[in-house]
Amino acid sequence: AAMSRKRLQQLTDALGRSARHFNKSEIECLIKLFDSLVAKSSSSNRLAVAGLDRNVFRDALHSAFGMTDDMMMDRVFRIFDTAYDSWISVVEWVEGLSIFLRGTLDERIKFCFEVYDLNGDGYISREEMFQMLKNSLLKQPSEEDPDEGIKDLVDIALKKMANGKLSFADFEKAVRDENLLLEAFGPCLPDIK
């Protein structure tokens, strides 16, 4: 069932306060897009009325932003799903996209760090770094074992870290010094277009 005009207005007003990077008409469009994605998914799955499931969300990331890395899309899903209930609600969708598409440097640094911190302990470890790099680097046909090159990259990154882990503060400082490092462990933000 399509959302009532009144409900759409209430939601738009509420999200206008929390998703600061969008204006009201953009928020309204995103809510309608969300509704159409949910409608598409719930025709095949009666349970999907709760929101977007992982597959529909991943399809949206793939078609809208060209994301193809399964692990990266799963990590982005986890960050959007702030209630940890395996669904993306309309609020999580709009607030997540606000940072994903238009976040400040601070917000994007925090977002990327959370994507890469696989176990949520507040550090990016050697193993997490290796996992992310292994997935994001294209396997080049060469004599060299691709894992060797990844280990070298991880070692270079770790030399800049204390005790073999990258804290949020270290990650933030590194990115502020060199913005290209924002997605050093794999693309988890959309490109400019």
Side-chain angles (χ1 to χ4, degrees):
M3 189 180 293
S4 75
R5 190 76 216 136
K6 185 172 187 225
R7 173 83 183 111
L8 179 62
Q9 193 56 57
Q10 289 169 333
L11 205 47
T12 302
D13 290 343
L15 284 163
R17 290 186 285 278
S18 61
R20 296 184 313 276
H21 303 299
F22 293 129
N23 64 37
K24 291 222 166 137
S25 64
E26 289 169 327
I27 289 172
E28 205 168 294
C29 287
L30 289 171
I31 293 170
K32 287 175 179 168
L33 175 60
F34 177 87
D35 261 8
S36 71
L37 290 169
V38 168
K40 205 182 329 176
S41 69
S42 57
S43 61
S44 60
N45 176 3
R46 297 275 14 113
L47 297 170
V49 289
L52 302 179
D53 67 13
R54 184 178 303 268
N55 292 335
V56 175
F57 183 76
R58 284 172 55 153
D59 288 348
L61 284 179
H62 178 72
S63 58
F65 307 111
M67 278 196 174
T68 54
D69 182 329
D70 289 339
M71 182 181 184
M72 199 58 79
M73 290 191 286
D74 279 345
R75 293 300 304 155
V76 171
F77 179 88
R78 298 276 349 125
I79 307 310
F80 269 66
D81 180 19
T82 54
Y84 307 114
D85 59 4
S86 300
W87 296 99
I88 304 291
S89 71
V90 66
V91 171
E92 289 169 333
W93 166 254
V94 176
E95 289 177 351
L97 284 173
S98 177
I99 290 169
F100 188 69
L101 294 172
R102 299 213 182 131
T104 62
L105 181 60
D106 285 345
E107 289 169 330
R108 293 195 329 262
I109 290 172
K110 183 174 185 287
F111 177 87
C112 289
F113 185 85
E114 287 174 354
V115 167
Y116 303 140
D117 178 12
L118 302 179
N119 65 2
D121 68 353
Y123 291 92
I124 301 171
S125 67
R126 174 186 294 264
E127 292 71 34
E128 288 167 329
M129 210 181 288
F130 187 81
Q131 278 305 115
M132 301 308 290
L133 287 166
K134 194 170 142 176
N135 276 308
S136 66
L137 291 178
L138 295 170
K139 306 273 185 274
Q140 299 294 346
S142 68
E143 301 301 303
E144 194 184 353
D145 171 15
D147 284 359
E148 280 308 305
I150 294 165
K151 285 190 183 102
D152 292 345
L153 267 171
V154 170
D155 287 338
I156 290 166
L158 285 169
K159 283 192 176 70
K160 300 194 175 302
M161 305 179 201
N163 62 30
K165 287 178 168 180
L166 186 59
S167 70
F168 177 71
D170 293 337
F171 180 74
E172 185 179 28
K173 183 185 182 322
V175 170
R176 287 190 185 287
D177 293 344
E178 180 48 77
N179 286 171
L180 289 174
L181 288 174
L182 188 58
E183 293 189 287
F185 308 125
C188 57
L189 289 165
D191 61 26
I192 296 304
K193 63 177 198 315

